[in-house]
Amino acid sequence: MDYELKEAPIGVFDSGYGGLTILHQMRSLLPQYDYIYLGDNARAPYGPRSFDVVYRFTLEAVRRLFSMGCRLVIIACNTASAKALRTIQQNDLPRIDPARRVLGVIRPTAECIGRLTLTRHVGVLATEGTIKSGSYGMEIAKLWPDIKVTGVACPLWVPLIENNEYDTPGADYFVKKRIDELMMLDGDIDAIILGCTHYPLLLDKILKHTPRGVRVIPQGEYVAQSLKDYLRRHPEIEAACAKHGTCRYLTTENSDKFNDSARIFMHEPVHAETIFLADELSADKQSADE
């Protein structure tokens, strides 16, 4: 399939709203580029879903962003990065378009962690799917084999955020419970990665219940800096990126519902369009059958 590569926006995909924290940091650091954000909110959360389902949903979204002219897509979702990114990079991109690129959020965080820990003991708080995948441990081991990684799943944190309960006193119990569990597993941890893009909205409570001397690491600034470095190292992709400072929002949910929630993450009014991804699934099936 042929795509128009001139004036290409940067695609940003997440299963829900959390990727907006990544988008916000990208737009703060790189405001000159055009972005398209796609949230598969109607099928969120991805965390409890199987590898096969997450892969299929993520590929649908990537194909849709490609069809809208994106040459570069950032999977701003830890679960999708853990369960789908490698397969898409290795198996699907060569078939769809070898000139396209799909990047995730786990690798940039793994790259920076070596300079953020002194004890070489690192914790990860994330969704069940990300923790079960072991992706953070594997990526960090490739770069920093001396670092021990311990992960704890936080299954109720995303619902707290998406139901606008993240700033209530009741949220403290669930935040403290998971941090205490992590520190009980390894008391030498001195850096905790927030391995879900939703979690920065809980940052005040996370910092409140994290032991003194333990560093908390949200991903957004590191992913944004990684994107800046990537574009510098790949001038052919950077040259194709549209630079009008625009941002378009797409959701598989009701657009009014998305707008209300997205405002919390973006700190500005958001006006989204509702789309459907079922046609992308049919296209994938047809390609697989051919």
Side-chain angles (χ1 to χ4, degrees):
M1 186 180 293
D2 294 326
Y3 297 95
E4 177 58 53
L5 296 183
K6 295 180 180 178
E7 293 290 286
I10 297 171
V12 182
F13 166 69
D14 183 31
S15 59
Y17 299 100
L20 293 167
T21 63
I22 302 295
L23 176 64
H24 180 70
Q25 291 291 337
M26 289 178 180
R27 293 187 67 199
S28 296
L29 184 65
L30 301 166
Q32 69 271 33
Y33 295 104
D34 292 3
Y35 298 90
I36 298 178
Y37 181 88
L38 170 53
D40 190 11
N41 307 85
R43 299 187 293 194
Y46 278 16
R49 295 187 182 273
S50 69
F51 274 73
D52 289 344
V53 170
V54 172
Y55 160 69
R56 180 160 54 88
F57 287 178
T58 304
L59 182 59
E60 289 174 36
V62 167
R63 288 177 64 97
R64 173 59 66 89
L65 289 168
F66 282 171
S67 75
M68 301 180 76
C70 297
R71 186 172 183 178
L72 172 64
V73 173
I74 310 299
I75 299 180
C77 171
N78 284 272
T79 300
S81 294
K83 294 184 175 183
L85 177 62
R86 188 172 300 277
T87 302
I88 290 173
Q89 289 175 330
Q90 295 180 350
N91 296 349
D92 296 296
L93 282 184
R95 171 175 55 85
I96 297 171
D97 186 345
R100 303 276 165 165
R101 295 291 182 269
V102 181
L103 307 176
V105 292
I106 293 177
R107 179 77 180 191
T109 313
E111 289 174 344
C112 76
I113 195 63
R115 66 177 186 272
L116 301 177
T117 173
L118 296 177
T119 65
R120 317 309 279 177
H121 289 248
V122 170
V124 178
L125 297 171
T127 65
E128 181 182 2
T130 298
I131 296 299
K132 284 186 175 180
S133 75
S135 294
Y136 272 98
M138 289 186 286
E139 288 296 327
I140 291 172
K142 293 175 187 176
L143 301 167
W144 315 100
D146 62 319
I147 292 180
K148 177 183 177 182
V149 179
T150 303
V152 166
C154 308
L156 294 179
W157 286 18
V158 169
L160 280 171
I161 292 166
E162 295 203 343
N163 287 287
N164 204 27
E165 296 288 335
Y166 64 93
D167 200 28
T168 63
D172 284 88
Y173 170 80
F174 297 102
V175 170
K176 184 177 186 301
K177 179 180 180 180
R178 297 308 178 187
I179 293 173
D180 288 350
E181 180 182 348
L182 180 65
M183 298 308 297
M184 283 289 291
L185 290 172
D186 185 354
D188 292 327
I189 288 171
D190 72 343
I192 297 176
I193 296 170
L194 302 186
C196 174
T197 53
H198 281 72
Y199 293 177
L201 268 71
L202 284 167
L203 187 57
D204 287 345
K205 292 189 182 299
I206 292 169
L207 292 172
K208 174 182 175 182
H209 297 292
T210 297
R212 186 181 300 273
V214 177
R215 185 169 190 165
V216 176
I217 304 166
Q219 295 175 294
E221 62 183 281
Y222 300 103
V223 175
Q225 185 60 55
S226 179
L227 174 61
K228 181 179 180 180
D229 294 342
Y230 182 87
L231 293 173
R232 176 181 53 79
R233 291 183 285 106
H234 296 84
E236 75 286 359
I237 294 178
E238 196 284 332
C241 291
K243 302 176 183 67
H244 305 290
T246 66
C247 188
R248 183 180 178 189
Y249 297 91
L250 308 174
T251 176
T252 57
E253 246 292 3
N254 175 274
S255 59
D256 290 336
K257 182 177 186 296
F258 180 90
N259 295 342
D260 289 343
S261 296
R263 181 195 297 263
I264 299 171
F265 291 84
M266 297 304 295
H267 312 293
E268 65 182 19
V270 170
H271 304 285
E273 308 163 47
T274 298
I275 65 165
F276 301 94
L277 292 174
D279 55 333
E280 301 300 318
L281 175 58
S282 299
D284 287 340
K285 185 177 186 302
Q286 181 179 352
S287 299
D289 293 340
E290 291 175 351

